[in-house]
Amino acid sequence: MFIHYLDLSWRSLKRTPLVSFLMILAIAIGIGVTMTSLSVYHMMSMDPIPSKSDKLFMVQLETMDEGEDWWTSDTMPRQLTFKDSENLQFAKQGLRQAAMVKTGFAVHLNNPDFKPLLRPTRATGRDFFEMFNVPFLYGSAWSEQLAQDGAPVVVIGDELNQQLFGGGNNVGKTIYLDDDTYEIVGILAPWKLASKFYDLNNGSFRDTEQVYIPFSLVRIKHLESWGNNNGWKHEDIQTHQNKLDSEILWLQFWVEFPDASSVAMYKTFLKNYIAEQQKVGRFNRNEPRSIIRNVKQWLEYNEVVSEDNKILVGLSFMFLAVCLANILGLLLAKFMRRAPEIGVRRALGASKTQVFAQHMVEVSVLGLLGGVLGIVIAQIGLIGIRQADRDYEMLAVMDPTMLLSAPMIAISACILAGLYPAWLVCKTNPAIYLKSQ
């Protein structure tokens, strides 16, 4: 019977091609606009590291003096001072830990034929790569000994490897970062994240860095931050060492824990650490706080998916509702024009249920066709977004979930729009149309 209904639906669509085209186009435009905004929202809210999002924690310390507040919702700074980051790194109280900061260099080969590339760089600990599931194509991270010795070693990304050498295994070769030579110890495979959760400063959806160096070089090489630098009191900063000893907040610190008990132990450790720092004149508050947040909590805390994105999704669904209102009117006119035909079918024994089911199949076919065309329109919209803003390159895409959702939403929307017209035509009295014949 379902096949028969499909055949009747197809014949009905061909009988009124212009009306059918207008309905398919209306649902396609509505689905295209809706899926464009919904796909971006879906990718923004996606868990960037699902296998570890409940094991990785960002550390926050309330370093300010009593009476000093921060501009976050809970007045907690989002970053740490250098001395706190270094102290927590040396303490090694987690399974793995990584202090980090964004810096940058002109990357080149000391070759007049090669134009230097200005590249953001991540100075961090070797645990960074294993913590965040960073894939290696060649080589590996530097050793702990090399980091302690302040060795000029570097891990580069696949994109930079292609730009510098044309690809291949170039572990052991040297590159220049500004005026200093660095030995390549590892080359990463292409690594993309839905959101750059480990450092949300300067853009939550920026590409991951292509250059990584040991965190110890921040002190040794006097590296400056390319990220946010925030202070809460006046300090006379004349030298790099002054900045390292200051209360300026400019680094991030992540810790990985194997289980919930380790999380509880680390919270106790932080309380004891703050108490020790108070003895040397820091954390001058009655009850200085320390907070650790896992990946999902950190993304929510930083409002990575803003209210604007949610409003945009809501508006797109409202636009879809307007399209459905137009479809409802067209369906009502089309179905009522077929009332005499339905009257004859009813007189020949077709039940209301069968007539209703036939019309529901017809609107479902409309929804399916509109949904497929809507995917094409959504892809065009997503391409436009990617071209307009490179930061949305990973976000303005339709994953399998969204590709399947588009026709499902379209079919559901058309069924909703077709309920009233189908119900109305089923209520017609067959005798009226039989008399008119």
Side-chain angles (χ1 to χ4, degrees):
M1 187 61 72
F2 178 71
I3 300 299
H4 177 60
Y5 290 160
L6 282 177
D7 181 57
L8 290 176
S9 300
W10 183 245
R11 292 185 184 192
S12 174
L13 293 178
K14 290 194 297 182
R15 192 181 304 140
T16 55
L18 181 59
V19 173
S20 299
F21 173 75
L22 289 175
M23 289 190 289
I24 291 172
L25 183 62
I27 190 64
I29 293 173
I31 289 295
V33 171
T34 301
M35 296 311 299
T36 298
S37 61
L38 189 59
S39 295
V40 174
Y41 177 82
H42 172 70
M43 296 302 293
M44 279 184 170
S45 57
M46 184 179 289
D47 187 344
I49 185 167
S51 62
K52 282 190 171 182
S53 59
D54 60 340
K55 295 181 173 63
L56 298 174
F57 288 78
M58 177 71 170
V59 178
Q60 293 176 273
L61 300 176
E62 195 173 24
T63 58
M64 305 88 68
D65 289 345
E66 191 71 40
E68 298 288 343
D69 292 324
W70 211 252
W71 54 80
T72 52
S73 58
D74 58 355
T75 71
M76 288 291 290
R78 290 191 173 100
Q79 300 189 104
L80 301 185
T81 65
F82 179 84
K83 48 192 170 186
D84 287 326
S85 300
E86 195 174 54
N87 291 340
L88 296 180
Q89 182 77 33
F90 289 151
K92 296 186 181 299
Q93 292 295 306
L95 176 65
R96 299 180 186 90
Q97 45 273 311
M100 64 185 77
V101 66
K102 177 183 177 182
T103 183
F105 300 95
V107 183
H108 59 99
L109 299 174
N110 199 26
N111 183 338
D113 298 327
F114 184 88
K115 185 179 179 179
L117 305 169
L118 197 63
R119 289 292 178 266
T121 300
R122 179 74 31 185
T124 186
R126 69 184 309 275
D127 283 349
F128 174 92
F129 303 99
E130 193 166 355
M131 286 175 66
F132 300 115
N133 294 340
V134 185
F136 275 86
L137 200 58
Y138 305 106
S140 62
W142 50 83
S143 66
E144 193 65 42
Q145 188 61 51
L146 285 174
Q148 292 176 5
D149 294 343
V153 291
V154 64
V155 170
I156 64 173
D158 177 67
E159 180 184 322
L160 183 60
N161 187 44
Q162 296 286 342
Q163 292 172 325
L164 293 175
F165 304 107
N169 186 356
N170 295 291
V171 171
K173 293 184 179 180
T174 59
I175 62 173
Y176 280 79
L177 301 184
D178 288 346
D179 297 326
D180 298 327
T181 58
Y182 286 75
E183 180 185 349
I184 300 173
V185 295
I187 299 173
L188 302 181
W191 181 46
K192 300 288 186 179
L193 292 172
S195 61
K196 193 179 172 185
F197 66 94
Y198 60 83
D199 183 1
L200 297 174
N201 297 292
N202 312 125
S204 304
F205 304 104
R206 296 284 180 89
D207 290 338
T208 54
E209 292 83 7
Q210 289 290 306
V211 183
Y212 300 84
I213 59 176
F215 181 73
S216 57
L217 296 180
V218 174
R219 179 184 289 277
I220 296 170
K221 298 283 189 179
H222 293 191
L223 301 181
E224 293 297 329
S225 167
W226 277 29
N228 289 353
N229 298 260
N230 306 116
W232 53 270
K233 68 176 183 179
H234 174 73
E235 294 178 281
D236 187 20
I237 308 296
Q238 298 293 333
T239 65
H240 184 71
Q241 187 61 46
N242 290 155
K243 184 175 182 179
L244 300 186
D245 295 335
S246 72
E247 295 296 329
I248 295 176
L249 304 149
W250 55 296
L251 296 99
Q252 306 84 46
F253 191 83
W254 285 85
V255 191
E256 180 181 349
F257 302 110
D259 48 48
S261 61
S262 300
V263 176
M265 290 173 61
Y266 198 81
K267 290 179 179 179
T268 302
F269 160 73
L270 288 177
K271 289 181 180 179
N272 294 334
Y273 170 76
I274 290 174
E276 289 297 320
Q277 291 296 306
Q278 284 182 310
K279 295 177 182 178
V280 296
R282 301 184 63 222
F283 293 88
N284 294 314
R285 302 182 72 91
N286 293 330
E287 294 182 2
R289 295 173 294 164
S290 60
I291 297 177
I292 57 175
R293 306 177 197 268
N294 64 30
V295 174
K296 289 184 178 180
Q297 292 169 339
W298 184 241
L299 294 175
E300 183 178 352
Y301 175 75
N302 284 273
E303 298 180 341
V304 169
V305 182
S306 67
E307 285 298 320
D308 291 344
N309 299 115
K310 297 175 183 178
I311 292 171
L312 185 60
V313 172
L315 290 174
S316 66
F317 272 99
M318 290 175 64
F319 179 76
L320 177 60
V322 173
C323 294
L324 291 181
N326 287 277
I327 294 171
L328 189 150
L330 291 171
L331 285 174
L332 191 59
K334 180 178 181 178
F335 287 177
M336 293 310 295
R337 283 186 61 187
R338 287 163 46 187
E341 175 190 333
I342 299 303
V344 173
R345 285 194 60 201
R346 290 285 313 282
L348 293 174
S351 66
K352 289 183 178 181
T353 302
Q354 289 174 324
V355 173
F356 186 81
Q358 174 198 333
H359 287 83
M360 286 296 97
V361 171
E362 183 172 338
V363 296
S364 297
V365 171
L366 281 172
L368 179 61
L369 295 175
V372 172
L373 182 57
I375 290 175
V376 176
I377 295 174
Q379 293 289 5
I380 294 172
L382 293 171
I383 290 172
I385 292 173
R386 291 197 296 270
Q387 293 295 326
D389 192 337
R390 193 170 181 271
D391 287 350
Y392 280 73
E393 186 177 349
M394 284 290 294
L395 300 174
V397 295
M398 291 185 74
D399 67 359
T401 301
M402 291 293 101
L403 287 172
L404 291 174
S405 297
M408 295 301 295
I409 294 173
I411 292 171
S412 301
C414 280
I415 289 175
L416 185 63
L419 284 174
Y420 177 68
W423 172 77
L424 197 62
V425 79
C426 287
K427 285 183 61 181
T428 57
N429 187 349
I432 297 174
Y433 297 103
L434 287 175
K435 289 177 182 178
S436 67
Q437 299 297 320

